[in-house]
DNA sequence: ATTCTGACA
DNA sequence: TGTCAGCA
């Protein structure tokens, strides 16, 4: 079994994850409800989180502190997820946590334009921005 | 003792 | 997001 498999192995109860991330059970469940994480379940329906889930939660916590709301975080995480599966990150690929607030704004702006081309086309740029980012 | 879902004086 | 209820 390789390291990647280990990182996705279901190991921790929500109680342990709470201590590891300093997030409340309410928050953790809320993020799952919004598809930011997808922890496994035990026979008894209890959540089992992997190292990846914990990292993801820490990432979410950081993004939240930096002003992003659920929608904005989902956009970033979804993109990051579709980048990693492909090639091997040669150098130091930038994860949302490594981005400066300005870079973050830049990326979000592009995401906004993209989103604008689809479902949210009716919303004006400004409104869309406020929909994803606060400040 | 823990966690889960649903709901809101 | 907190918190309480009623289960498993």
């Amino acid at each position: 079994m390789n390291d990647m498999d280990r990182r996705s192995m279901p190991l921790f109860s929500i109680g342990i994850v709470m201590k590891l991330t300093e997030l409340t059970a309410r928050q953790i469940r809320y993020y799952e409800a919004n598809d930011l994480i997808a922890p496994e379940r035990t026979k008894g329906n209890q959540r089992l989180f992997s190292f990846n889930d914990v990292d993801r939660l820490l990432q979410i916590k950081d993004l939240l502190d930096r002003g992003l709301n659920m929608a904005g975080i989902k956009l970033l995480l979804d993109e990051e997820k579709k980048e990693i599966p492909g090639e091997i990150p040669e150098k130091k690929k930038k994860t949302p946590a490594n981005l400066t607030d300005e870079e973050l704004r830049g990326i979000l702006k592009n995401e906004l334009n993209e989103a604008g081309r689809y479902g949210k086309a009716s919303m004006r740029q400004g409104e869309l921005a406020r929909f994803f980012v606060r400040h």
Side-chain angles (χ1 to χ4, degrees), chain A residues 76-121:
Chain A
L76 282 183
L77 264 37
D78 284 350
E79 182 176 304
E80 179 183 55
K81 196 164 189 176
K82 71 179 181 182
E83 287 179 16
I84 292 179
E87 306 303 304
I88 300 173
E90 302 91 19
K91 312 299 178 182
K92 301 131 188 175
K93 176 174 284 296
K94 287 196 173 185
T95 67
N98 292 330
L99 302 174
T100 65
D101 284 358
E102 290 186 56
E103 294 176 307
L104 212 48
R105 293 289 165 51
I107 292 177
L108 264 301
K109 188 169 185 177
N110 291 324
E111 298 291 344
L112 294 179
N113 290 322
E114 211 175 284
R117 299 195 201 96
Y118 301 104
K120 311 282 185 178

Side-chain angles (χ1 to χ4, degrees), chain A residues 15-133:
Chain A
I16 291 179
V17 175
M18 286 174 70
K19 293 170 181 168
L20 256 32
T21 64
E22 290 186 271
L23 287 171
T24 65
R26 178 75 160 85
Q27 290 177 298
I28 296 171
R29 293 176 185 133
Y30 179 67
Y31 303 150
E32 179 189 21
N34 282 277
D35 304 305
L36 267 40
I37 52 173
E40 223 87 317
R41 295 283 181 144
T42 65
K43 300 275 186 178
N45 196 44
Q46 301 214 330
R47 273 164 269 249
L48 278 187
F49 303 78
S50 67
F51 279 106
N52 280 329
D53 291 325
V54 174
D55 288 341
R56 192 127 169 127
L57 286 169
L58 290 172
Q59 177 75 162
I60 293 169
K61 189 187 176 191
D62 175 69
L63 260 21
L64 242 29
D65 289 336
R66 305 169 82 183
L68 293 183
N69 58 22
M70 286 300 98
I73 292 175
K74 182 175 294 186
L75 290 178
L76 282 183
L77 264 37
D78 284 350
E79 182 176 304
E80 179 183 55
K81 196 164 189 176
K82 71 179 181 182
E83 287 179 16
I84 292 179
E87 306 303 304
I88 300 173
E90 302 91 19
K91 312 299 178 182
K92 301 131 188 175
K93 176 174 284 296
K94 287 196 173 185
T95 67
N98 292 330
L99 302 174
T100 65
D101 284 358
E102 290 186 56
E103 294 176 307
L104 212 48
R105 293 289 165 51
I107 292 177
L108 264 301
K109 188 169 185 177
N110 291 324
E111 298 291 344
L112 294 179
N113 290 322
E114 211 175 284
R117 299 195 201 96
Y118 301 104
K120 311 282 185 178
S122 61
M123 253 187 247
R124 291 174 310 175
Q125 175 91 269
E127 296 177 305
L128 205 49
R130 258 175 273 110
F131 183 67
F132 291 118
V133 196

